[in-house]
Amino acid sequence: MDLIAEDILQAFRDLPINAGEVLGQPAPHTLRGAETNFYADSGEQSADFELHGQEIHLEAHPVQYEWNYGDGARGGPFLFPGGPLQEGEWGTKTDTSHIFEETGDFAVGLTVTYRATYTVNGGVVIDVPGDAAFSAEPVTISVWRSVVNNFADNCLENPNGAGC
């Protein structure tokens, strides 16, 4: 049984599990110095395969999320994927949000750790003896700077003035 369990774990780690999608708010552009909320859209997955002549059914569910914000900063591990904010809440700090200190394009990545159970030939449900980590496709976010200028004229008084 130990050999089968090790083979099941290796088969689990070799499966093409989809780690989900990286989502950000605001995106695809954000501002330097502002909170940018990131969250994952990942879920349970199943797979059927044959191992040692036996039919295996595996059920995998996400249990941990680790973020790579692309600028050298990391977030997590978290036991939850984060979640979306209402449009009026953008810029609010969340557990999975990040503040970019520099402008540029950054590839935000996500690694999701899954745990699984399996059955052999439709039998009893058994825990896979280990976890497997899968990476989501990174998403590029462009970090911009904002500039505020004050002008003495308004555009009604001087339509050719700066800022009009």
Side-chain angles (χ1 to χ4, degrees):
M1 283 302 284
D2 289 339
L3 179 59
I4 291 172
E6 288 177 25
D7 290 347
I8 290 283
L9 176 58
Q10 189 58 52
F12 172 36
R13 290 179 174 162
D14 291 340
L15 287 173
I17 298 290
N18 180 352
E21 183 179 5
V22 174
L23 300 164
Q25 294 172 303
H29 313 291
T30 191
L31 293 176
R32 180 181 71 187
E35 293 283 353
T36 304
N37 181 47
F38 291 100
Y39 60 100
D41 180 13
S42 60
E44 295 187 9
Q45 297 174 53
S46 63
D48 295 299
F49 55 94
E50 188 174 302
L51 183 67
H52 301 301
Q54 308 300 312
E55 293 298 320
I56 307 297
H57 177 76
L58 187 136
E59 294 282 335
H61 57 278
V63 295
Q64 184 173 285
Y65 303 83
E66 292 187 61
W67 294 93
N68 178 342
Y69 297 111
D71 62 353
R74 301 181 80 73
F78 298 110
L79 301 178
F80 52 90
L85 296 171
Q86 297 298 318
E87 188 170 334
E89 297 175 326
W90 289 4
T92 302
K93 181 173 178 44
T94 66
D95 289 332
T96 56
S97 68
H98 179 64
I99 295 175
F100 293 92
E101 299 296 335
E102 301 294 329
T103 59
D105 292 336
F106 299 94
V108 177
L110 171 68
T111 301
V112 181
T113 301
Y114 281 78
R115 231 170 244 152
T117 58
Y118 69 98
T119 61
V120 178
N121 298 323
V124 297
V125 176
I126 303 167
D127 290 331
V128 173
D131 298 336
F134 301 92
S135 295
E137 185 72 28
V139 169
T140 299
I141 189 153
S142 293
V143 179
W144 296 355
R145 67 181 176 93
S146 63
V147 176
V148 176
N149 293 307
N150 293 320
F151 298 99
D153 294 333
N154 70 42
C155 292
L156 293 175
E157 292 173 1
N158 182 4
N160 297 322
C164 297

